[in-house]
């Protein structure tokens, strides 16, 4: 075979090997992100994903072996290069489909939360606001804390944190004045009611404690008596976002408060009700970014 032809074949195989290496990197990153409440699978699916990664590595080794020790012709070179392009196309389709599924699932969840909150005019847009604020806090976390949290999972926990209010009578939800002791006892059951509603969704198991304990206080005077680091980090984050939303959003039984007033209350309660570090992170966020988290449905009110 002429020298020029061998060079072209060699370059085709090397190009295919480089593309296959890129495919492996992208697929590994993709697998690393497949551990949230939407994309996490059972042991069988996890084994299949790992097998897929192993096969891609095996194919890459085949490219390198062929380039170094083999005597491939144009057909073989074309097959190897085309194979890596095919894998690249399939991975892109898979990534896009996964994004579509996640986006559609989130849209459906937001719609369901909207239906739940329609029962209580005081809650309109509250869960979306808490979700947005939680995401904002997450982005500002130091890497040591951020690495412990799955961003998609905490987003769903924040969005679903008040789902248990479906079990609270509308007379209590819509009461235009403060709740009495008996009514307050019923209202305080909403976290565990939410847990019971979400338990059948097996992939939601990791976020259930975050929802159940989002009303815990650092000083241990919350709903279940957990205190300090006993409270999940995710719950502590959602608690700050939830409380700021409750403080500043309009309610039938109280006047709305400004951003400055809300921040002042968070600071005053840091170390007793709220995690001081999370409050410090929240108050360091520029006001315009916090205001931008307000859902359009709330802005229109």
């Amino acid at each position: 075979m002429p020298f020029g032809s061998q060079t072209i074949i060699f370059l085709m195989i090397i190009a295919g090997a480089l593309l296959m290496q890129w495919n492996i990197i992208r697929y590994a990153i993709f697998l690393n992100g497949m551990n949230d409440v939407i994309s996490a699978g059972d042991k069988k699916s996890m084994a299949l994903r790992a097998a897929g990664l192993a096969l891609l590595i095996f194919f890459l080794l085949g490219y390198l072996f062929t380039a170094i020790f083999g005597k491939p012709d144009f057909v073989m070179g074309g097959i190897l290069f085309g194979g890596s392009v095919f894998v690249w196309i399939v991975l892109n389709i898979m990534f896009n489909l996964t994004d579509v599924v996640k986006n559609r699932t989130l849209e459906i969840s937001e719609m369901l939360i909207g239906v739940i909150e329609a029962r209580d005019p005081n809650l309109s847009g509250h869960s979306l606001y808490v979700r947005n604020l939680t995401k904002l806090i997450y982005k500002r976390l130091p890497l040591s804390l951020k690495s412990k949290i799955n961003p998609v999972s905490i987003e769903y926990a924040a969005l679903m944190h008040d789902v248990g209010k479906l079990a609270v009578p509308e007379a209590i939800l819509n009461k235009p004045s403060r709740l009495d002791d008996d009514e307050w006892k019923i209202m305080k059951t909403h976290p565990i009611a939410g847990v019971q509603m979400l338990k059948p969704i097996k992939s939601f198991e990791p976020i259930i404690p975050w929802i159940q304990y989002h009303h815990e206080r650092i000083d241990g005077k919350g709903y279940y008596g957990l205190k300090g680091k006993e409270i999940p980090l995710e719950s502590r984050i959602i608690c700050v976002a939830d409380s700021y939303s409750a403080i500043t959003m309009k309610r039938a039984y109280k006047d709305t408060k400004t951003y400055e007033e809300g921040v002042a209350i968070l600071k005053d309660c840091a170390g007793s009700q709220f995690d001081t570090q999370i409050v410090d992170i929240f108050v360091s966020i520029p006001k315009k970014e916090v205001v931008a988290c307000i859902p359009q449905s709330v802005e229109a009110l």
Side-chain angles (χ1 to χ4, degrees):
M1 184 178 296
F3 177 77
S5 298
Q6 290 180 332
T7 301
I8 293 173
I9 295 171
F10 178 79
L11 291 176
M12 290 173 64
I13 295 174
I14 293 301
L18 291 173
L19 182 56
M20 187 61 74
Q21 184 178 24
W22 176 235
N23 289 335
I24 291 171
I25 293 172
R26 294 178 69 208
Y27 185 63
I29 294 173
F30 172 75
L31 290 185
N32 188 56
M34 295 285 283
N35 59 352
D36 55 65
V37 294
I38 300 303
S39 56
D42 55 21
K43 292 182 179 180
K44 181 178 180 180
S45 64
M46 295 298 290
L48 289 174
R49 294 170 187 176
L53 181 60
L55 282 174
L56 290 179
I57 295 173
F58 175 77
F59 291 151
L60 176 60
L61 294 175
Y63 280 75
L64 297 177
F65 181 87
T66 302
I68 298 172
F69 301 107
K71 295 182 180 179
D73 54 17
F74 268 114
V75 174
M76 179 60 69
I79 290 174
L80 292 176
F81 178 73
S84 62
V85 173
F86 175 75
V87 171
W88 180 83
I89 292 172
V90 171
L91 288 179
N92 274 284
I93 292 173
M94 182 174 67
F95 297 158
N96 290 336
L97 286 175
T98 301
D99 287 341
V100 168
V101 170
K102 286 187 175 183
N103 290 335
R104 294 293 181 270
T105 303
L106 184 59
E107 289 172 358
I108 293 171
S109 299
E110 291 175 353
M111 181 196 69
L112 291 175
I113 292 299
V115 171
I116 293 171
E117 292 186 344
R119 300 174 63 231
D120 180 3
N122 292 311
L123 285 178
S124 180
H126 170 66
S127 294
L128 288 177
Y129 196 16
V130 173
R131 188 274 306 273
N132 294 343
L133 291 172
T134 297
K135 290 172 62 178
L136 193 60
I137 295 172
Y138 169 82
K139 291 178 182 178
R140 297 286 182 135
L141 291 176
L143 185 60
S144 59
L145 295 182
K146 185 181 289 186
S147 62
K148 299 177 181 179
I149 301 174
N150 181 282
V152 176
S153 295
I154 194 173
E155 178 178 1
Y156 273 88
L159 187 62
M160 301 287 181
H161 78 282
D162 270 346
V163 70
K165 286 186 176 178
L166 269 174
V168 178
E170 289 190 36
I172 294 177
L173 288 175
N174 299 326
K175 187 175 180 179
S177 57
R178 292 189 177 277
L179 303 180
D180 61 34
D181 290 344
D182 290 335
E183 291 168 336
W184 186 240
K185 286 180 181 179
I186 295 174
M187 179 64 80
K188 287 173 67 175
T189 64
H190 80 267
I192 194 64
V195 166
Q196 296 300 323
M197 292 175 188
L198 296 174
K199 265 187 177 180
I201 308 176
K202 291 184 179 180
S203 64
F204 273 31
E205 184 176 346
I207 71 172
I208 281 178
W210 310 350
I211 294 172
Q212 181 172 351
Y213 300 124
H214 76 274
H215 277 299
E216 295 308 279
R217 294 170 53 105
I218 295 300
D219 60 12
K221 297 178 181 179
Y223 287 12
Y224 300 98
L226 299 185
K227 62 182 179 179
K229 296 300 175 64
E230 294 175 352
I231 307 168
L233 171 60
E234 296 83 357
S235 298
R236 284 177 266 149
I237 293 172
I238 294 171
C239 180
V240 170
D242 180 35
S243 298
Y244 175 81
S245 172
I247 291 167
T248 58
M249 287 183 69
K250 185 178 181 180
R251 295 288 190 268
Y253 50 83
K254 72 174 183 66
D255 294 330
T256 184
K257 294 188 181 298
T258 65
Y259 163 83
E260 288 76 17
E261 290 172 320
V263 165
I265 292 173
L266 292 181
K267 287 181 178 180
D268 288 343
C269 297
S272 56
Q273 183 174 354
F274 308 119
D275 185 307
T276 300
Q277 184 179 14
I278 303 302
V279 171
D280 288 343
I281 291 171
F282 183 83
V283 301
S284 71
I285 301 171
K287 176 181 177 181
K288 63 179 181 180
E289 293 186 31
V290 174
V291 173
C293 289
I294 301 175
Q296 292 183 354
S297 59
V298 176
E299 292 177 336
L301 295 178

